[in-house]
Each structure stands twice: as C-alpha cells, then as structure tokens.
Amino acid sequence: MSSQSLTQISGTVSGDDPNDKLAYASVIVKQDTLVVEAVITNDRGDFKIGDLKVGKYNVEVQFLGFETYSSPLSIDGSKSRINLGTIRLKSDVTSLEEVVVTGETSQLSLQLDKKVFNVGKDLISQGGAATQVLDNVPSVAVDPSGAVSLRGNSNVLILINGRKSGLASTQGLEQIPAETIKSVEVITNPSARYDASGSAGIINIILKKNTKQDLSGSVTVSTGTPADHRITGSLNYKKGKINLFSNIGVRYSDYVGLYTRDQQSTIDGNDLFLSQREDQDRHDDGGLFYFGLDYFINETNTITTAFYRNETKDSDETVLNFDFSGENIEDTRIQTLGDSEEKRSYNQFEFNYTKTFKKPGRKFTVDVQYDFWDSTKDFNIDRRTITPDIGDRSIINTRSNRENDDIVIQSDFVTPLSETSNFETGIKIEDRNVATDFAASEEINGTVSDIEGFNNGLDYKEQIIGAYAQYGNKVKKFSYLVGLRTEYTDIQINDQNTGARLTDSTYTRLFPSVNLSYVLSQKTTAQLNYSKRINRPNLFQLNPFAELIDFNSRIFGNINLVPSFTDAVELTFIRKSKGLVINPSIYYSNTQNNFQYFTTQNEEGVFETFLINLEEESRFGIEVSAQYMPIKWLALMAEVNAYTFDQKGSVGTTNLDFSNETLTTTLLSQIKLPKKFTFQSKFEYRAPISDAQTRTRGLYYLNMALGKSLFNNKGRITLGVSNIFNTQKTRDRTVGDGFIVNQLTNFNAARWNLNFNYRFNKGRDRKAKKSNRQ
C-alpha cells in the first residue's frame, strides 16, 4: 500500500472540565479485538498515532476514575491527518441500590511526573483548611504545628496555582478553605520550567475556578468542637466574553494545645532538673475575599485579573509552669501567664495574559503578581515566683512587626517544532522586600526598661531572576524532556538601628533537568528523572536575633547560613490494570550544606537552638503508591515510603555524623453506602526518626468522616473527626553536652466537625427544565 494511504490521528484528552487535561491517559486503537496501536497522552493531554491504514477502527481512551471512552473511526485514505479534537472523559458513575452518585470520589491520579489528588468530595477535609487537604495527599505529611513535608523532607516548595504566594506559608495555608481547592499536584522531580527551590520537590495547590455557563456557586456552613465555625461561599457568572469568579468566607476557631518539657542538665558540677508544662488556648478569627475576572478578547487572546484579601486576628492565652530542683538550690516554681494578639493582613493582585495561535499547542503567557502583607503581634507575660513566696514578679511586654512587598513577573512561550517535539522557554523576575522589628521591655515595681539583647530591626531584600529552556520529543515508545534553568540571586540584610549590612550574598547557578520515559507495554510505563535543586535560607532562618517567649530557651537564625544544593534522581514505574494503579519509585538525593538545628546550653543555663550547615546528606528511598477499586463501592489508596539517610558534619568539636532509617505508611479508604451515604477514613503511621542530637518517637493517628448526599446530589452533610484517639503527639528526646531534654507537643487534640455544603447552577437548571418540556 502506498505511503499516501497512511493516516495520522491526533487529539487531546480532558476530564469533565475541558480545561482539566489528563496526562498519561491510555489511548488505544483497535481493529475488532486486535490492538493496532497504544500510546499515552503527554503532560498537556495530547496524543498522536501515525501510520494507520485504510479501514475501520475503534478508539478507546482509559483513565482511572473516569468512564472508558469508545468511538468508531473510519479511515478512507482521503486525509493524511485527522484531528479528533478534545475527548472529554466522564467521571466514573457508581450505582448502588438505584442510588446514583456522581463524582463523589477524591481521585488520586498517579502520573509519571507527578501525582494529582483531585479533592472532589474529600470528606475528611470538609469544612477545614488547606492543611487538612494536604495531610490527605499521599507522599505529603503535615505535622501538628502545620509544617508540611514531602517524603519526610521539609524543604518543599509550595505553590498556589503554579506561583509562589504568601498563602503558601504555614499560617497562610490555614486561611485557605478546603472547599476552594480543586486539586493538589505533587511533583517530586520537577523539570526546568519550575523554580529551582525545594530539594524535596514541589506541591502545587490548584484553586477552583468557574467553568460553568451562566450563574453558579456554592455555600458551606461548618461548626465543630472545640469551637470551629466557618461560612464559605462562592459565586460565579459566565456569559459571552466575561467570566466572573469569587470566594468569600469567615471563620471563628478555637484550639487547645499541651506542651511539656522535662530536662536534666549539669552546670558547674551540679545536677539541675526542670519540669515544664504549658497549657495553651488559641483563638482565631478570619475573613477572606477573592474576586476575579476573565475577559475573552477573542478566540486567541484572554486576560485574567484577580484580587485576594485575607485578614485574621489571633488571640492566645497560655499558662506556663516551671518547677526547678537540684543540688544546692531551693525548689522553685515559676509561673507565667501570657496573652497575645496578632493581626495579619494579606493582599494579592494577579494578572495574566494568554495568547494562543492557529498552530495547535503554541501558547504565549505573561503573568504579574503583586502581594503585600503586614503582621503585628503584642505579647504580654505576667511572670511571678510561686515557691518560695518572695514576692518576685515582673511584667514583660513584647511587640513584633513584619511588612512584606513582593512582585513577580513571568513570561512563558511554548511551541511545537514538529509532530512529536516541543520547545518551551521562559523568564521570571521576583523582587521581595521584608521589614521586621522586635521590641521587649520588662516592668519591675513600676519601672519599665528594655530587655537587653532583644530589641532589633532588619530589612531584607531578595531578588531572583530566572530563565529556562527545555526541549521534548517522542520517538515511538520513548519520550524525553531535557531542560536547563539558570537563576541569579541577590540577598541583602541590613540592620535598621545601625544601618550596617549584615549580609550581602550574590550568586548565579545552573539547574539542569532530564526526564526520560518509555512505554513498556499497554499497561506499564517507566520514567527516569534527574534534577538539581536549591534551598535558599529565608529571613527567619538568617535572623540572628531571637524573640523572647520562653526565658528557658531561645531559637535563633544564623546569618552565616549558605544555600544548600541537591542532586536528585528517581526511577519510577506506573502500571494500570482493571481497578488497580500501582506506582513504585526508587529515589536518591545528595545535598551539600543541608540545614539542621543544633541545641546547646549557655553559661546561664538557657537552651539555645540555631540552624547550621552540615557538610552533606545522602538519602535513598523506596516509595510505593497504589489505588485499588476491587468493587464499585470500595476505593482504597495505600502508600509506603521507606528511606535511609547518611549525614556528615560538625559544630566546633561536636561531631554530627549520623545514619538512620525510617518509614511512613498511609491507608485511605472510601466506602459508598446505601441511601447516598459515604464513609471515608485515613490511617497514618510514622516510624521513629533520629539525627545526631534528637530522636523523635513514632506516632499514628486516625481520621474519619461520614457524609450523605441531599437534594439530588446538590447538597451534602458531613460529620468528621480528626485525630480521634488523640494520638497525634510528637515526643522528642534531645541529648547534648551536659543535658537531656524530653518534650511532648500536642498541638491539637481530637476535633469534631459538622458541615453542610450546597451547590447550584442556574444555567444547568434552565437546560434541565428546557429538556423536560421537549
């Protein structure tokens, strides 16, 4: 048969939302029962299949969590290319006792370059915040204080809609309602298009955006114990060239924390003992407002602009008791009563211009983001000696202020060079300015004086200029993507009081990346990835001044910290079969100058903890993620991550060389019950882990939720509980030169939540009524 009679077909695969492209979906061409060709879609959901002869075929598209698409295809040889357009897969629909539930399952898509957790109706995080959503995502862990780690590594870059944001901070994540999150992408080995920050990888939180025509929205009302009351709503309107989207919310939350510390130390040859207990009542009020506009100028030009504002007020009360005993000292009890108030205001402007071209796949974008925020915290401490009763009393007042201005300008261009190859390039400029100051004073017998060594002010300036280029191609079953990124960094820290420059660090580095993939069979694909990453110390880690909170211990930054660099390589497989997706990975990383906290005790007996640069850390791990649906009403997701690490370094004469191993196991289950009920649970176990100074004991915890669909699936009521057995407690043992410290941190006890969500779509209702009349 002549070459002119051969035909190439192409297309794009998406979910229910045409903007939700499905990467690594299986596209199969069959003739009767014989498989003629099978490919997977690229990271933009595109596919191409060439050299099809004249004949009748059937095209099938498969992706876990979606119904299989099947359509006949007839090739008569009159066209050399056929574009099938966008193939939209429908969310899997489960029928149980004549009850239809659509799109209720939180879907984990295990893809080669990332894992995508589609939040959907994630019951456990309903009524909560982004931290609850992240804690449900495989490979991701959120400790009780809200710190996020990826595969046990806390050096992770968190993005919001693909961009850096003040909302990605620990406090910021607590302000993002779970209901506003569409999906979470976990990228363990990013390509050159992404910022080089984050040696562990990137977590990208995708917020929901209106895609429905006409008027649509939702409202969520939540209550809980300890007190946790929230109202979140969205209202969207899309008509013609205009798409308006908005979110608004308020919250009123209480948290109860318990912290204990038992320490033994030797000072001047005398053994001293301290037993410390802190009971904390935290109260947060918050409000958010998000409003945006898409304007479709024409078919190829779109402008998006949006504004986000989040304002919070935190009021905390603490009771802290210190019991001292030891040789040659009188037993002493000191009590501090503290109350603090912190006000934060975060504002963010966004602008995007997108231009598409007649040539499919070619796109040019410009993004501008400007955010500014401020924070003020007043902390008052009433300190007195209870035993012996000597009338010793003082009142300590502290005040801290922080202000931030950050502007980011980014432009990217993507273009196909041939039927199988793509080229992408971009540039990014980020300029950040932070001002912070801290003041502490003490009142004794009516006399107020500054506390020496604590009053300070710093100005922090950071500029990062990055550029990248990457090229990808596909040769039969083999695909590759190679890229190179360069980033120029300039960081300056000035003392506000003296005008002295404390640090001035300027450097330029190259960050290569390589992604190789090979389709082993219709059901199995392998990928080998390499990337180089950086961890720049931030202002908190560099700040050489400590804030006064606890007179027994201090935490400092280190002005002499240098960036750490990581080389990471990962071999991963993904295998899909009926009802099962399994994703085993083997990974290795080597980090130079990695960060670690080191604790010592000064001559006055005060514990000082500060960051240091170790020489290096190497890490080797195995991770297995799996999703299994043995029957239509049961979905299971499991993950095991085990790794070993080897650290080398020292502080003065103290050798910190250390090797250890640990693992994390997670099991998620979701059961669809009769009468539109759904049950979900999450169990997690974290094994003990140590470094040269500190050993953290293992812990486990269980979260559960029960939900029921109402009003023809437009509404849902959910009862959930997190940390149901109050086992999510961190226990540390730190051993140093002349001291042993045992600590327990119980940031939050069990929390119960009851929430109701209702969704509406006026446009959809109109169409339904019109259909009923026909």
Side-chain angles (χ1 to χ4, degrees):
M1 187 171 290
S2 65
S3 60
Q4 284 77 10
S5 62
L6 299 179
T7 301
Q8 178 196 82
I9 66 170
S10 61
T12 303
V13 179
S14 76
D16 296 308
D17 177 359
N19 295 316
D20 184 16
K21 310 302 183 187
L22 298 180
Y24 301 103
S26 299
V27 183
I28 306 165
V29 177
K30 293 182 177 180
Q31 200 164 35
D32 295 326
T33 59
L34 176 66
V35 175
V36 177
E37 186 67 74
V39 299
I40 59 174
T41 57
N42 63 17
D43 58 358
R44 295 178 301 280
D46 301 325
F47 69 89
K48 291 180 182 178
I49 297 177
D51 299 339
L52 293 178
K53 300 177 181 179
V54 172
K56 295 186 182 295
Y57 300 88
N58 199 65
V59 178
E60 290 186 1
V61 183
Q62 302 173 357
F63 197 79
L64 190 66
F66 293 86
E67 294 181 357
T68 297
Y69 169 91
S70 180
S71 177
L73 174 66
S74 179
I75 295 179
D76 57 15
S78 62
K79 297 180 180 179
S80 61
R81 292 186 177 89
I82 298 176
N83 191 333
L84 301 181
T86 299
I87 298 174
R88 296 174 61 178
L89 302 187
K90 295 181 180 180
S91 298
D92 193 16
V93 179
T94 300
S95 298
L96 182 62
E97 295 189 0
E98 299 181 347
V99 174
V100 178
V101 182
T102 305
E104 299 294 335
T105 303
S106 295
Q107 176 66 44
L108 175 67
S109 302
L110 300 175
Q111 302 176 12
L112 281 174
D113 63 340
K114 60 189 172 184
K115 298 175 184 176
V116 181
F117 185 81
N118 296 304
V119 176
K121 297 301 171 186
D122 180 31
L123 301 183
I124 291 177
S125 63
Q126 286 280 303
T131 47
Q132 281 78 40
V133 174
L134 291 179
D135 199 37
N136 246 13
V137 177
S139 301
V140 180
V142 182
D143 72 14
S145 67
V148 180
S149 61
L150 178 57
R151 286 179 171 171
N153 190 338
S154 60
N155 181 25
V156 57
L157 175 63
I158 301 177
L159 304 177
I160 308 295
N161 291 334
R163 304 181 186 94
K164 289 182 180 179
S165 171
L167 294 172
S169 66
T170 299
Q171 292 176 329
L173 293 174
E174 277 292 331
Q175 315 306 321
I176 302 177
E179 287 73 19
T180 65
I181 300 175
K182 175 186 175 184
S183 62
V184 178
E185 298 177 345
V186 179
I187 310 169
T188 54
N189 228 313
S191 67
R193 74 164 63 97
Y194 296 99
D195 289 349
S197 300
S199 61
I202 293 173
I203 297 173
N204 185 23
I205 299 173
I206 307 296
L207 301 181
K208 290 179 181 176
K209 187 176 178 181
N210 179 41
T211 59
K212 300 184 177 77
Q213 289 290 337
D214 217 318
L215 186 67
S216 62
S218 68
V219 61
T220 300
V221 180
S222 177
T223 187
T225 180
D228 191 3
H229 313 302
R230 307 178 188 225
I231 301 177
T232 305
S234 67
L235 188 63
N236 312 299
Y237 179 76
K238 186 175 184 180
K239 197 75 170 179
K241 293 185 175 184
I242 299 295
N243 177 34
L244 299 173
F245 51 94
S246 64
N247 286 288
I248 190 169
V250 293
R251 70 186 185 99
Y252 176 101
S253 304
D254 286 336
Y255 304 87
V256 178
L258 171 65
Y259 312 84
T260 65
R261 177 185 177 106
D262 294 298
Q263 68 186 48
Q264 175 184 347
S265 57
T266 302
I267 299 179
D268 297 331
N270 296 320
D271 290 331
L272 303 177
F273 304 89
L274 168 64
S275 180
Q276 176 180 324
R277 177 187 172 105
E278 179 181 3
D279 293 278
Q280 186 181 74
D281 291 320
R282 308 189 308 276
H283 173 74
D284 297 349
D285 292 328
L288 67 90
F289 173 78
Y290 183 47
F291 177 79
L293 165 69
D294 292 320
Y295 179 63
F296 305 97
I297 302 173
N298 51 43
E299 292 183 356
T300 61
N301 293 275
T302 304
I303 291 176
T304 299
T305 183
F307 172 70
Y308 183 96
R309 178 174 175 83
N310 194 314
E311 192 166 344
T312 62
K313 178 182 177 181
D314 301 347
S315 302
D316 301 343
E317 294 183 355
T318 62
V319 178
L320 185 54
N321 289 302
F322 303 85
D323 289 297
F324 291 93
S325 62
E327 300 177 58
N328 302 320
I329 67 167
E330 186 176 9
D331 289 353
T332 304
R333 164 169 285 195
I334 298 175
Q335 182 181 78
T336 66
L337 305 177
D339 66 86
S340 67
E341 181 176 280
E342 181 174 8
K343 297 180 180 179
R344 295 187 297 270
S345 174
Y346 179 82
N347 306 272
Q348 179 174 298
F349 289 97
E350 303 171 7
F351 172 83
N352 168 268
Y353 167 70
T354 299
K355 180 176 178 58
T356 56
F357 299 82
K358 291 183 179 180
K359 185 173 185 178
R362 179 175 291 176
K363 184 170 67 172
F364 173 73
T365 61
V366 176
D367 290 278
V368 179
Q369 179 176 302
Y370 172 61
D371 59 70
F372 57 97
W373 56 262
D374 60 80
S375 171
T376 301
K377 182 175 182 178
D378 292 294
F379 195 9
N380 302 308
I381 305 170
D382 187 347
R383 177 179 179 273
R384 68 184 70 194
T385 301
I386 305 299
T387 304
D389 186 7
I390 57 176
D392 178 30
R393 181 183 180 186
S394 66
I395 298 176
I396 298 173
N397 299 290
T398 70
R399 182 179 179 86
S400 60
N401 296 284
R402 293 181 178 87
E403 295 180 354
N404 178 90
D405 283 279
D406 188 12
I407 186 167
V408 179
I409 302 174
Q410 180 173 344
S411 181
D412 300 276
F413 178 67
V414 183
T415 184
L417 298 180
S418 68
E419 294 178 354
T420 60
S421 64
N422 260 1
F423 176 75
E424 182 176 348
T425 186
I427 188 170
K428 180 177 181 180
I429 301 173
E430 182 172 5
D431 188 81
R432 174 180 290 113
N433 293 275
V434 184
T436 177
D437 62 82
F438 183 82
S441 62
E442 185 174 22
E443 179 182 347
I444 302 176
N445 298 325
T447 302
V448 179
S449 59
D450 292 339
I451 301 178
E452 185 177 352
F454 287 97
N455 294 345
N456 64 84
L458 295 176
D459 288 322
Y460 175 87
K461 296 181 179 181
E462 176 186 273
Q463 186 179 78
I464 301 174
I465 301 176
Y468 76 95
Q470 61 183 25
Y471 172 78
N473 201 352
K474 181 179 184 296
V475 181
K476 295 184 179 180
K477 295 183 178 183
F478 176 70
S479 301
Y480 62 89
L481 178 66
V482 293
L484 181 65
R485 186 179 187 90
T486 181
E487 291 187 351
Y488 163 85
T489 305
D490 182 17
I491 296 176
Q492 299 178 11
I493 300 179
N494 296 322
D495 190 317
Q496 293 177 357
N497 298 323
T498 65
R501 180 161 295 179
L502 302 181
T503 186
D504 189 348
S505 179
T506 303
Y507 50 90
T508 302
R509 293 290 187 273
L510 295 176
F511 302 94
S513 66
V514 179
N515 300 81
L516 310 174
S517 65
Y518 186 79
V519 180
L520 298 172
S521 68
Q522 179 182 334
K523 297 180 179 180
T524 306
T525 306
Q527 188 172 46
L528 180 64
N529 300 321
Y530 163 79
S531 65
K532 191 176 187 68
R533 314 289 295 166
I534 186 175
N535 182 17
R536 299 179 182 88
N538 58 37
L539 175 58
F540 173 78
Q541 295 168 328
L542 292 169
N543 190 343
F545 301 103
E547 295 189 359
L548 178 62
I549 297 176
D550 178 356
F551 69 86
N552 181 57
S553 60
R554 307 278 187 269
I555 298 180
F556 298 86
N558 182 353
I559 200 70
N560 296 313
L561 275 181
V562 298
S564 64
F565 294 91
T566 298
D567 292 282
V569 62
E570 178 176 359
L571 175 63
T572 184
F573 297 85
I574 182 168
R575 178 174 175 82
K576 299 180 180 181
S577 58
K578 186 176 181 180
L580 173 67
V581 177
I582 187 167
N583 180 207
S585 300
I586 301 173
Y587 61 92
Y588 171 81
S589 66
N590 181 270
T591 301
Q592 302 292 317
N593 300 319
N594 61 298
F595 305 163
Q596 183 167 297
Y597 279 101
F598 179 75
T599 300
T600 186
Q601 192 174 27
N602 65 20
E603 296 177 353
E604 289 76 30
V606 176
F607 285 86
E608 297 181 343
T609 300
F610 52 92
L611 271 173
I612 60 169
N613 284 116
L614 292 179
E615 292 178 13
E616 69 170 334
E617 177 189 88
S618 59
R619 182 175 296 206
F620 175 79
I622 299 175
E623 181 182 68
V624 180
S625 300
Q627 181 172 352
Y628 183 48
M629 297 182 67
I631 43 184
K632 289 186 176 181
W633 49 267
L634 175 63
L636 300 172
M637 288 186 288
E639 181 178 75
V640 177
N641 176 39
Y643 64 91
T644 66
F645 61 89
D646 183 40
Q647 298 174 333
K648 298 183 183 301
S650 61
V651 175
T653 59
T654 303
N655 189 335
L656 298 179
D657 291 358
F658 195 80
S659 299
N660 196 226
E661 64 281 328
T662 188
L663 67 83
T664 301
T665 302
T666 304
L667 177 63
L668 294 165
S669 66
Q670 185 157 301
I671 303 172
K672 293 186 177 181
L673 303 169
K675 307 300 181 182
K676 298 187 179 182
F677 280 97
T678 304
F679 173 79
Q680 187 177 349
S681 67
K682 176 197 175 181
F683 173 81
E684 181 162 316
Y685 169 72
R686 302 176 191 172
I689 186 171
S690 305
D691 60 30
Q693 269 202 317
T694 301
R695 176 176 174 81
T696 301
R697 291 173 56 180
L699 64 83
Y700 67 91
Y701 63 95
L702 177 67
N703 301 337
M704 296 190 300
L706 179 68
K708 177 177 173 58
S709 294
L710 303 169
F711 308 124
N712 196 26
N713 294 328
K714 293 181 179 179
R716 173 178 287 281
I717 187 168
T718 306
L719 174 65
V721 55
S722 61
N723 191 20
I724 186 171
F725 299 116
N726 194 24
T727 53
Q728 198 173 7
K729 301 174 182 179
T730 304
R731 294 178 171 88
D732 298 322
R733 180 179 178 88
T734 301
V735 179
D737 185 13
F739 64 85
I740 298 174
V741 179
N742 294 293
Q743 296 185 94
L744 179 146
T745 301
N746 189 7
F747 198 77
N748 281 318
R751 297 183 67 84
W752 293 79
N753 284 91
L754 178 67
N755 71 87
F756 173 74
N757 172 264
Y758 183 80
R759 306 177 306 278
F760 66 89
N761 184 353
K762 186 177 179 182
R764 180 184 298 171
D765 292 342
R766 276 198 204 132
K767 292 178 182 178
K769 292 177 182 178
K770 183 178 179 181
S771 177
N772 291 335
R773 289 196 301 266
Q774 293 177 344

